[in-house]
Amino acid sequence: MPIEVVILMTRRTLLTGATGTLGRALRPRLRDAGHDVVAASRSPPSTDRADVEWVRTDFAAETGIRDAVSDVDVVVHAATAPRGDTESVDVRGTERLLVAAADAGVSNFVYVSIVGVDEIPYSYYEHKLTAERIVAESPVPSTIVRATQFHSFVHDILETIARVPIWPLPTGIRLQPIDVGEAAAAIADYATPEAAGRAPDVGGPEILTVRELAETYREVRGLRRPIVRLPLPGEVAAGFRSGAACCPDRTVGTTTWGTWLESAHRDRLAAGGHR
Ligand SMILES: NC(=O)c1ccc[n+]([C@@H]2O[C@H](COP(=O)([O-])OP(=O)(O)OC[C@H]3O[C@@H](n4cnc5c(N)ncnc54)[C@H](OP(=O)(O)O)[C@@H]3O)[C@@H](O)[C@H]2O)c1
């Protein structure tokens, strides 16, 4: 490719949440797509290869936000604090980043959200929905893309449950997990100079109940623990049971839960981990 074309295609892109599950998968994909990546974190890794530029940013403490966005064309905002101060990181942090992005003349602010945030009244989802509205109403042109749960997220929950001899689980909940690399590839495609508004959802290849997810996990790990139904009352559980966290018409990922688990399990055994 002629050098002038490469220069024209290069864009400077801020990736927030660059150390997170999605952020780590987005970094190489954005780079490979020709972005000059500015990666933001509260604690930039000191040993990382210098193929992205790191900036120290804290959305809760309100530090480093203007510097991070001052010289970029596109923002991919994947920072989140699901187990922390969601209001201050996901809502107020997004608001502050947008104000700085408007001043910097950002042409596309890509906000990563979750399928079902508008239907399931879970407090983290409510904060994500508020953030989506702030993004959509901002003067900064934006793209909002919702994804379903990552395989690794479901896996981490089952790993915690696996420690006890009987697994009490909300077996009727339905999820559509996706490989994070496949989700990242779809999201990276939206990091263009032009905003796309509300983008189509990004989901995994199959919808499975928590019972089915746990049975496959149990089989792959060669365990024999009984799974018992944990009845969960309330609107949040009812929302997940109804399939509101799924997007059956948007099966973007192709890696199934079983395939992903087998591969993760092989990697673990190769690294000397437990069965
Ligand atoms: N996990 C899923 O299954 C899933 C599914 C669909 C959509 N999503 C969405 O995808 C996005 C990324 O999720 P994830 O699972 O990758 O999250 P994650 O693994 O928990 O990573 C969170 C990231 O946010 C950063 N962060 C946290 N608090 C911060 C603060 N105060 N200031 C600056 N950065 C902060 C963390 O960086 P440092 O700790 O290094 O600062 C980290 O890089 C989120 O919008 C999430 O809602 C996730």
Side-chain angles (χ1 to χ4, degrees):
M1 190 182 292
I3 193 153
E4 317 83 75
V5 177
V6 175
I7 290 167
L8 276 176
M9 283 174 62
T10 303
R11 55 198 84 108
R12 210 167 143 78
T13 298
L14 171 67
L15 170 63
T16 73
T19 55
T21 307
L22 179 64
R24 289 195 305 274
L26 277 168
R27 260 152 50 193
R29 286 166 179 81
L30 289 171
R31 262 191 337 253
D32 291 351
H35 296 255
D36 242 342
V37 178
V38 180
S41 159
R42 285 168 299 177
S43 325
S46 50
T47 54
D48 201 57
R49 288 175 21 232
D51 44 9
V52 299
E53 176 185 329
W54 285 94
V55 284
R56 193 177 295 275
T57 305
D58 188 330
F59 291 106
E62 300 178 41
T63 53
I65 299 175
R66 274 193 180 273
D67 286 349
V69 80
S70 65
D71 190 21
V72 303
D73 315 297
V74 174
V75 172
V76 179
H77 186 35
T80 188
R83 288 165 295 279
D85 187 350
T86 314
E87 161 77 27
S88 113
V89 175
D90 292 78
V91 179
R92 302 279 81 89
T94 301
E95 203 164 44
R96 288 181 196 113
L97 183 59
L98 279 163
V99 170
D103 293 346
V106 164
S107 70
N108 184 13
F109 186 101
V110 180
Y111 182 64
V112 184
S113 191
I114 308 174
V115 172
V117 290
D118 50 345
E119 291 187 60
I120 303 174
Y122 168 42
S123 64
Y124 173 55
Y125 282 19
E126 287 171 343
H127 283 133
K128 297 280 305 178
L129 184 61
T130 305
E132 276 191 8
R133 289 192 179 124
I134 292 169
V135 170
E137 286 163 14
S138 150
V140 181
S142 63
T143 303
I144 295 173
V145 55
R146 294 178 180 173
T148 55
Q149 281 68 33
F150 307 144
H151 288 320
S152 52
F153 172 78
V154 177
H155 180 253
D156 288 352
I157 294 172
L158 290 172
E159 289 276 281
T160 309
I161 296 282
R163 294 188 197 127
V164 297
I166 294 175
W167 297 351
L169 289 167
T171 47
I173 278 177
R174 288 192 282 157
L175 299 174
Q176 189 181 340
I178 184 168
D179 173 82
V180 70
E182 293 176 337
I187 292 165
D189 282 348
Y190 288 109
T192 55
E194 303 80 31
R198 172 73 196 283
D201 296 341
V202 173
E206 53 190 356
I207 295 176
L208 298 168
T209 63
V210 163
R211 176 176 291 282
E212 290 166 329
L213 291 161
E215 282 172 351
T216 308
Y217 170 84
R218 185 174 61 177
E219 189 183 318
V220 169
R221 282 208 47 198
L223 301 172
R224 299 169 65 89
R225 312 273 208 280
I227 296 166
V228 292
R229 188 175 78 87
L230 174 71
L232 280 188
E235 288 177 59
V236 173
F240 279 106
R241 277 195 302 272
S242 76
C246 303
C247 49
D249 301 333
R250 294 289 309 158
T251 53
V252 173
T254 57
T255 304
T256 63
W257 170 241
T259 304
W260 184 90
L261 266 182
E262 295 278 2
S263 160
H265 194 59
R266 265 196 310 275
D267 290 350
R268 174 148 75 188
L269 289 181
H274 64 74
R275 261 206 72 77

